[in-house]
Amino acid sequence: MGDVLREIGTIARALDSISNIEFKQYDLTKGQYLYLVRICEHPGIIQERVAEMLKVDRTTAARAIQKLTANGLIEKRMQTENKKNKQLFPTANGLKIFPIIQRENRHSAEVALTEFTEAEKQQIAEFLTRMRKNVASDWEYVKKGNQRRY
Amino acid sequence: MGDVLREIGTIARALDSISNIEFKQYDLTKGQYLYLVRICEHPGIIQERVAEMLKVDRTTAARAIQKLTANGLIEKRMQTENKKNKQLFPTANGLKIFPIIQRENRHSAEVALTEFTEAEKQQIAEFLTRMRKNVASDWEYVKKGNQRRY
DNA sequence: AGCATTTTGTTGCATTTACAGCAAAATGTT
DNA sequence: AACATTTTGCTGTAAATGCAACAAAATGCT
């Protein structure tokens, strides 16, 4: 079933594209909504962890977060116990945009799942979580420079 | 079920990331494998149609295809009846790489669907196709500059 | 036929993305 | 305690991405 992955890629690009266009009016440039949402949901998280959750390159996350900081949507806090980790928190402005993103995402989900019964929604959610877990280990493996055998 | 879209995004990024790393040894830079596959499968297709299938910006597709042409993996052919459309065809070199991409994609699909029964694979394929169709119209709508209401 | 609209393809430019490679702090090992 | 390894964060650089804006061909309309 090679087209399963294709469909996933296509859906992901389409939705990401839509979100990026719709969030431009809030001065959120490409992809930034992803990071802001995760930081709002996990205040105090460090960027390395955000990259891992999103399955995004470390440096890509670093620069996206840099920009969110520059734009005053999140802030980095240093701790006294740990001088290396920088905890991330949404600012008041970031928290103001957060529900807007949630609303948009909710609407996109509704559109995507039009004509799905509750049971079907339940089931696809479960399927996708299983797939994500299956894929996660390969991603880390390859990202660390290892070669898959096949 | 907002996490459905999230999972899709995460899976898509992870797999795309893996593919890009694995295809670098064949001088396929970021994303090019997507275009090459579609052109191999639909010889004579025009780039506008490729962009639409992939749900990618017109100009992004244009440049990816430009590069594939420059690297000798595909070629553009002009027709006599129609002076605007440029048909795309894989070259001998492109056709040599095609099965390598297919093999990688097949392996990724196997990994992603580990522990899925045949019936489950069937079902998720069907679900995803429905989702893709649901999302496609919004993508075109927004890409053309229209505003969604929600 | 004549004119407006759509389709297709391009380029300029600003931004994001990601591989290399570095440094400093934290953690693990002996 | 001393040293090696891992974790976290950053920057330089090259490439992809995508909006704006244009031109030319094709199509639609009256």
Side-chain angles (χ1 to χ4, degrees):
Chain A
M1 289 293 99
D3 47 336
V4 168
L5 302 195
R6 260 187 220 201
E7 299 287 32
I8 287 182
T10 304
I11 295 166
R13 281 189 298 273
L15 291 172
D16 190 52
S17 177
I18 290 172
S19 295
N20 285 326
I21 291 169
E22 294 185 325
F23 293 144
K24 213 175 305 165
Q25 59 183 300
Y26 304 106
D27 281 316
L28 282 183
T29 52
K30 198 168 169 267
Q32 295 200 12
Y33 70 99
L34 289 172
Y35 304 88
L36 181 53
V37 165
R38 301 296 177 135
I39 292 164
C40 285
E41 288 175 351
H42 301 91
I45 197 175
I46 62 169
Q47 77 179 27
E48 202 72 15
R49 217 54 51 230
V50 176
E52 199 176 288
M53 286 173 63
L54 292 174
K55 261 82 183 150
V56 156
D57 190 81
R58 288 156 32 74
T59 62
T60 304
R63 289 204 158 104
I65 287 169
Q66 237 169 20
K67 186 149 190 209
L68 282 172
T69 309
N71 291 356
L73 297 175
I74 64 167
E75 62 175 4
K76 297 183 181 183
R77 281 191 217 151
M78 302 279 284
Q79 305 155 271
T80 39
E81 329 90 66
N82 187 319
K83 277 179 254 176
K84 193 171 54 161
N85 293 13
K86 300 190 181 173
Q87 293 190 293
L88 305 171
F89 295 91
T91 62
N93 260 337
L95 284 173
K96 226 182 301 176
I97 295 182
F98 181 38
I100 298 172
I101 300 172
Q102 287 180 304
R103 195 165 61 96
E104 194 267 2
N105 286 348
R106 216 175 307 124
H107 180 254
S108 284
E110 272 167 31
V111 170
L113 297 174
T114 301
E115 309 244 14
F116 277 63
T117 67
E118 278 310 311
E120 286 176 331
K121 290 181 193 176
Q122 201 65 37
Q123 197 158 34
I124 194 165
E126 187 232 304
F127 285 163
L128 288 168
T129 301
R130 279 164 65 193
M131 286 185 74
R132 193 247 308 148
K133 286 179 184 163
N134 283 340
V135 163
S137 32
D138 267 26
W139 180 73
E140 272 157 47
Y141 187 73
V142 172
K143 261 310 208 184
K144 277 177 186 145
N146 302 299
Q147 290 239 346
R148 300 200 295 181
R149 310 281 289 141
Y150 57 91
Chain B
M1 285 296 100
D3 47 336
V4 167
L5 303 196
R6 261 187 219 201
E7 299 287 32
I8 287 182
T10 304
I11 295 165
R13 281 189 298 274
L15 291 172
D16 189 52
S17 177
I18 290 172
S19 296
N20 285 325
I21 291 169
E22 294 185 326
F23 293 143
K24 214 173 307 163
Q25 61 182 299
Y26 304 106
D27 282 314
L28 282 184
T29 53
K30 199 166 169 268
Q32 296 201 10
Y33 69 99
L34 289 172
Y35 304 87
L36 181 52
V37 165
R38 301 294 176 136
I39 292 165
C40 285
E41 288 175 352
H42 301 91
I45 195 174
I46 63 169
Q47 77 181 27
E48 201 72 13
R49 218 53 52 231
V50 176
E52 199 176 288
M53 286 174 63
L54 293 174
K55 263 80 184 152
V56 155
D57 190 81
R58 288 157 31 76
T59 61
T60 304
R63 289 204 158 101
I65 287 169
Q66 235 168 23
K67 186 148 191 210
L68 282 172
T69 309
N71 291 356
L73 296 174
I74 65 166
E75 62 176 4
K76 296 183 181 183
R77 281 190 218 153
M78 301 280 284
Q79 304 155 271
T80 39
E81 329 90 67
N82 187 318
K83 278 180 249 173
K84 193 171 53 162
N85 293 14
K86 301 188 181 174
Q87 293 190 292
L88 305 171
F89 294 91
T91 62
N93 261 337
L95 284 173
K96 226 183 301 176
I97 294 181
F98 181 37
I100 298 173
I101 300 173
Q102 287 181 305
R103 195 164 61 95
E104 196 266 1
N105 286 349
R106 218 176 303 125
H107 180 254
S108 284
E110 273 168 29
V111 170
L113 297 174
T114 302
E115 309 245 14
F116 277 62
T117 66
E118 278 310 311
E120 286 176 332
K121 289 181 195 176
Q122 200 65 36
Q123 196 158 34
I124 194 164
E126 187 232 302
F127 284 164
L128 288 169
T129 301
R130 279 164 64 191
M131 286 185 74
R132 193 248 307 148
K133 286 179 184 163
N134 283 340
V135 163
S137 32
D138 268 28
W139 180 73
E140 273 157 47
Y141 187 72
V142 173
K143 260 312 207 183
K144 277 178 188 144
N146 303 301
Q147 290 239 347
R148 299 200 296 181
R149 311 279 291 140
Y150 56 91

